[in-house]
Coordinates of all heavy atoms in Angstrom, one line a residue:
E293 N 126.1 185.0 42.2 CA 126.3 185.7 40.9 C 127.6 186.5 41.0 O 127.8 187.2 42.0 CB 125.1 186.5 40.5 CG 124.0 185.6 40.0 CD 122.9 186.4 39.3 OE1 123.3 187.2 38.4 OE2 121.7 186.2 39.6
R294 N 128.3 186.5 39.9 CA 129.7 187.2 39.9 C 129.7 188.6 40.5 O 130.6 188.9 41.3 CB 130.3 187.1 38.5 CG 131.8 187.3 38.4 CD 132.3 187.0 37.0 NE 132.0 185.7 36.5 CZ 132.6 184.6 36.9 NH1 133.5 184.7 37.9 NH2 132.3 183.4 36.4
P295 N 128.8 189.5 40.1 CA 128.9 190.9 40.5 C 128.9 191.0 42.1 O 129.4 192.0 42.6 CB 127.7 191.6 39.9 CG 127.3 190.7 38.8 CD 127.6 189.3 39.2
V296 N 128.3 190.1 42.8 CA 128.3 190.2 44.3 C 129.1 189.1 45.0 O 129.1 189.0 46.2 CB 126.8 190.2 44.8 CG1 126.1 191.4 44.4 CG2 126.1 188.9 44.4
A297 N 129.9 188.3 44.2 CA 130.5 187.2 44.8 C 131.6 187.6 45.8 O 131.6 187.0 46.9 CB 131.2 186.3 43.7
E298 N 132.4 188.6 45.5 CA 133.5 189.0 46.4 C 132.9 189.5 47.7 O 133.3 189.2 48.8 CB 134.3 190.0 45.7 CG 135.8 189.9 46.2 CD 136.7 190.8 45.4 OE1 136.7 190.8 44.2 OE2 137.4 191.7 46.1
R299 N 131.8 190.4 47.6 CA 131.2 190.9 48.8 C 130.6 189.8 49.6 O 130.7 189.8 50.8 CB 130.1 191.9 48.3 CG 130.6 193.4 48.3 CD 129.5 194.4 48.4 NE 128.5 194.2 47.4 CZ 127.2 194.3 47.6 NH1 126.7 194.4 48.8 NH2 126.4 194.2 46.5
F300 N 130.0 188.9 48.9 CA 129.3 187.8 49.7 C 130.4 187.0 50.4 O 130.2 186.6 51.6 CB 128.5 186.9 48.7 CG 128.0 185.6 49.4 CD1 126.9 185.7 50.2 CD2 128.7 184.4 49.2 CE1 126.4 184.6 50.9 CE2 128.2 183.3 49.9 CZ 127.1 183.3 50.7
L301 N 131.5 186.6 49.8 CA 132.5 185.8 50.4 C 133.1 186.5 51.6 O 133.3 185.9 52.7 CB 133.5 185.4 49.4 CG 133.1 184.3 48.4 CD1 134.1 184.1 47.3 CD2 132.8 183.0 49.1
T302 N 133.3 187.8 51.5 CA 133.9 188.6 52.6 C 132.9 188.6 53.8 O 133.3 188.4 54.9 CB 134.2 190.0 52.1 OG1 135.0 189.9 51.0 CG2 134.8 190.8 53.2
A303 N 131.6 188.8 53.4 CA 130.6 188.9 54.5 C 130.4 187.5 55.2 O 130.3 187.4 56.4 CB 129.2 189.3 53.9
L304 N 130.6 186.4 54.4 CA 130.4 185.1 55.0 C 131.6 184.8 55.9 O 131.4 184.3 57.0 CB 130.4 184.0 53.8 CG 130.2 182.6 54.3 CD1 128.9 182.4 55.1 CD2 130.1 181.7 53.0
R305 N 132.8 185.2 55.5 CA 134.0 185.0 56.3 C 133.8 185.8 57.6 O 134.1 185.3 58.7 CB 135.2 185.4 55.5 CG 136.5 184.9 56.2 CD 137.7 185.1 55.3 NE 137.7 186.4 54.7 CZ 138.3 186.7 53.5 NH1 139.0 185.8 53.0 NH2 138.2 187.9 53.0
D306 N 133.4 187.0 57.5 CA 133.2 187.9 58.7 C 132.2 187.2 59.6 O 132.3 187.2 60.8 CB 132.7 189.3 58.3 CG 133.8 190.0 57.6 OD1 135.0 189.6 57.6 OD2 133.5 191.1 57.0
E307 N 131.1 186.7 59.0 CA 130.0 186.2 59.8 C 130.5 184.9 60.6 O 130.0 184.7 61.7 CB 128.9 185.7 58.8 CG 127.6 185.5 59.4 CD 126.9 186.6 60.1 OE1 127.1 187.8 59.6 OE2 126.3 186.4 61.2
L308 N 131.4 184.2 60.0 CA 131.9 183.0 60.7 C 133.1 183.2 61.6 O 133.6 182.3 62.3 CB 132.2 181.9 59.6 CG 131.0 181.3 58.9 CD1 131.4 180.5 57.7 CD2 130.2 180.5 59.9
Q309 N 133.6 184.5 61.6 CA 134.7 184.8 62.5 C 134.3 184.5 64.0 O 133.2 184.9 64.5 CB 134.9 186.3 62.4 CG 136.2 186.8 63.0 CD 137.3 186.8 61.8 OE1 137.0 187.2 60.8 NE2 138.4 186.3 62.1
G310 N 135.1 183.6 64.6 CA 134.8 183.3 66.0 C 133.7 182.3 66.2 O 133.4 181.9 67.4
I311 N 133.1 181.8 65.2 CA 132.1 180.7 65.4 C 132.9 179.4 65.5 O 133.6 179.0 64.5 CB 131.2 180.6 64.2 CG1 130.4 181.9 64.0 CG2 130.2 179.4 64.3 CD1 129.5 182.2 65.2
R312 N 132.8 178.7 66.6 CA 133.5 177.5 66.8 C 132.6 176.3 67.3 O 131.6 176.6 68.0 CB 134.6 177.7 67.9 CG 135.6 178.7 67.6 CD 136.9 178.1 67.1 NE 137.5 177.3 68.1 CZ 138.6 176.5 67.9 NH1 139.0 176.4 66.6 NH2 139.1 175.8 68.8
A313 N 132.9 175.1 66.9 CA 132.2 174.0 67.4 C 132.4 173.8 68.9 O 133.5 174.2 69.3 CB 132.6 172.7 66.6
G314 N 131.4 173.4 69.6 CA 131.6 173.2 71.0 C 131.2 174.5 71.8 O 131.2 174.5 73.0
D315 N 130.9 175.5 71.0 CA 130.5 176.8 71.6 C 129.2 177.2 70.9 O 128.1 177.2 71.4 CB 131.6 177.8 71.4 CG 131.3 179.2 71.8 OD1 130.3 179.3 72.6 OD2 131.9 180.1 71.4
A316 N 129.3 177.6 69.6 CA 128.1 178.0 68.8 C 127.2 176.9 68.5 O 126.0 177.0 68.4 CB 128.5 178.7 67.6
Y317 N 127.8 175.7 68.3 CA 127.1 174.5 68.0 C 127.8 173.3 68.6 O 128.9 173.4 69.1 CB 126.8 174.3 66.5 CG 128.0 174.3 65.7 CD1 128.7 173.1 65.5 CD2 128.4 175.4 65.0 CE1 129.8 173.1 64.6 CE2 129.5 175.4 64.1 CZ 130.2 174.2 64.0 OH 131.3 174.2 63.2
G318 N 127.2 172.2 68.6 CA 127.7 171.0 69.4 C 128.6 170.1 68.6 O 129.1 170.5 67.4
P319 N 128.9 169.0 69.1 CA 129.8 168.0 68.4 C 129.1 167.3 67.3 O 127.8 167.4 67.2 CB 130.1 167.0 69.5 CG 128.9 167.0 70.4 CD 128.4 168.5 70.4
M320 N 129.8 166.6 66.5 CA 129.1 165.7 65.5 C 128.5 164.6 66.4 O 129.1 164.0 67.3 CB 130.1 165.1 64.6 CG 130.9 166.1 63.8 SD 129.9 167.1 62.7 CE 129.5 166.0 61.4
T321 N 127.2 164.3 66.1 CA 126.5 163.3 67.0 C 127.0 161.9 66.8 O 127.1 161.1 67.7 CB 125.0 163.4 66.7 OG1 124.6 164.7 66.7 CG2 124.2 162.6 67.6
V322 N 127.3 161.6 65.5 CA 127.7 160.2 65.2 C 129.2 160.2 64.7 O 129.5 160.9 63.7 CB 126.8 159.6 64.1 CG1 127.2 158.2 63.8 CG2 125.4 159.7 64.6
P323 N 130.1 159.5 65.3 CA 131.5 159.5 64.9 C 131.7 159.3 63.4 O 132.5 159.9 62.8 CB 132.2 158.4 65.7 CG 131.3 158.3 66.9 CD 129.9 158.6 66.5
D324 N 130.9 158.3 62.8 CA 131.1 158.0 61.4 C 130.9 159.2 60.5 O 131.5 159.3 59.4 CB 130.1 157.0 60.9 CG 130.4 155.6 61.5 OD1 131.4 155.5 62.2 OD2 129.6 154.7 61.3
Q325 N 130.1 160.2 61.0 CA 129.8 161.3 60.2 C 131.1 162.2 60.0 O 131.2 162.8 58.9 CB 128.7 162.1 60.8 CG 127.8 162.9 59.9 CD 127.2 162.1 58.8 OE1 126.7 161.0 59.0 NE2 127.4 162.6 57.5
I326 N 132.0 162.2 61.0 CA 133.2 162.9 60.8 C 134.0 162.4 59.7 O 134.7 163.1 59.0 CB 134.0 162.9 62.2 CG1 133.1 163.5 63.3 CG2 135.3 163.7 62.0 CD1 133.8 163.4 64.7
D327 N 134.0 161.1 59.5 CA 134.7 160.5 58.4 C 134.2 161.0 57.0 O 135.0 161.2 56.1 CB 134.6 158.9 58.4 CG 135.2 158.4 59.7 OD1 136.1 159.1 60.3 OD2 134.8 157.3 60.1
V328 N 132.9 161.2 56.9 CA 132.3 161.7 55.7 C 132.8 163.1 55.4 O 133.3 163.5 54.3 CB 130.8 161.7 55.7 CG1 130.2 162.2 54.4 CG2 130.3 160.3 55.9
V329 N 132.8 163.9 56.5 CA 133.3 165.3 56.4 C 134.8 165.3 56.0 O 135.2 166.0 55.0 CB 133.1 166.1 57.7 CG1 133.6 167.5 57.5 CG2 131.6 166.1 58.1
R330 N 135.6 164.4 56.6 CA 137.0 164.4 56.3 C 137.2 164.0 54.8 O 138.0 164.6 54.1 CB 137.7 163.4 57.2 CG 139.2 163.3 57.0 CD 139.9 162.3 57.9 NE 140.0 162.8 59.3 CZ 139.3 162.2 60.3 NH1 138.5 161.2 60.1 NH2 139.4 162.7 61.5
R331 N 136.5 163.0 54.4 CA 136.6 162.5 53.0 C 136.3 163.6 52.0 O 137.0 163.9 51.1 CB 135.7 161.3 52.8 CG 135.8 160.7 51.4 CD 135.1 159.3 51.4 NE 133.7 159.2 51.8 CZ 132.7 159.5 51.1 NH1 132.9 159.9 49.8 NH2 131.5 159.5 51.5
H332 N 135.2 164.3 52.3 CA 134.8 165.4 51.4 C 135.8 166.5 51.4 O 136.2 167.1 50.4 CB 133.4 165.9 51.7 CG 132.3 165.0 51.3 ND1 131.0 165.2 51.5 CD2 132.4 163.8 50.7 CE1 130.2 164.2 51.0 NE2 131.1 163.3 50.5
L333 N 136.3 166.9 52.6 CA 137.2 168.0 52.7 C 138.5 167.7 52.1 O 139.0 168.5 51.2 CB 137.3 168.3 54.2 CG 138.3 169.4 54.6 CD1 138.1 170.7 53.9 CD2 138.3 169.6 56.1
T334 N 139.1 166.6 52.4 CA 140.5 166.3 51.9 C 140.4 166.1 50.4 O 141.2 166.6 49.6 CB 141.1 165.0 52.5 OG1 140.1 164.0 52.4 CG2 141.5 165.3 53.9
G335 N 139.3 165.4 49.9 CA 139.1 165.2 48.5 C 139.0 166.5 47.7 O 139.5 166.7 46.7
A336 N 138.2 167.4 48.3 CA 137.9 168.7 47.6 C 139.2 169.5 47.5 O 139.4 170.1 46.5 CB 136.8 169.4 48.4
L337 N 140.0 169.5 48.6 CA 141.2 170.3 48.5 C 142.2 169.7 47.5 O 142.9 170.4 46.7 CB 141.9 170.3 49.9 CG 141.1 171.1 51.0 CD1 141.8 170.9 52.4 CD2 141.0 172.5 50.6
E338 N 142.3 168.3 47.5 CA 143.1 167.7 46.5 C 142.6 167.9 45.0 O 143.4 168.0 44.1 CB 143.1 166.1 46.7 CG 144.0 165.7 47.9 CD 143.7 164.3 48.4 OE1 143.1 163.5 47.6 OE2 144.1 164.0 49.5
A339 N 141.3 168.1 44.9 CA 140.8 168.3 43.6 C 140.9 169.8 43.1 O 140.3 170.2 42.1 CB 139.3 167.9 43.5
G340 N 141.5 170.6 43.9 CA 141.7 172.0 43.5 C 140.9 173.0 44.3 O 141.0 174.2 44.0
G341 N 140.1 172.6 45.2 CA 139.3 173.5 46.0 C 140.2 174.3 47.0 O 141.4 173.9 47.3
T342 N 139.7 175.4 47.4 CA 140.5 176.3 48.4 C 139.6 176.5 49.6 O 138.4 176.7 49.5 CB 140.8 177.6 47.7 OG1 141.4 177.4 46.5 CG2 141.7 178.5 48.6
A343 N 140.2 176.5 50.8 CA 139.5 176.7 52.0 C 139.5 178.2 52.3 O 140.5 178.8 52.5 CB 140.1 176.0 53.2
L344 N 138.3 178.8 52.2 CA 138.1 180.2 52.6 C 138.0 180.4 54.1 O 138.5 181.4 54.7 CB 136.9 180.8 51.9 CG 136.5 182.2 52.1 CD1 137.4 183.1 51.3 CD2 135.1 182.5 51.9
V345 N 137.4 179.4 54.7 CA 137.2 179.4 56.2 C 137.6 178.0 56.6 O 137.1 177.0 56.0 CB 135.8 179.8 56.6 CG1 135.6 179.6 58.1 CG2 135.4 181.2 56.2

Side-chain angles (χ1 to χ4, degrees):
E293 285 193 51
R294 198 170 303 285
V296 291
E298 211 173 307
R299 265 200 303 135
F300 172 77
L301 287 170
T302 305
L304 182 57
R305 196 171 37 203
D306 291 350
E307 196 62 37
L308 289 170
Q309 197 90 45
I311 299 296
R312 297 262 297 171
D315 173 20
Y317 57 83
M320 302 299 284
T321 307
V322 181
D324 289 357
Q325 206 56 47
I326 301 178
D327 298 337
V328 179
V329 180
R330 181 180 288 111
R331 180 165 58 81
H332 284 182
L333 175 55
T334 50
L337 293 175
E338 282 163 19
T342 307
L344 179 79
V345 174

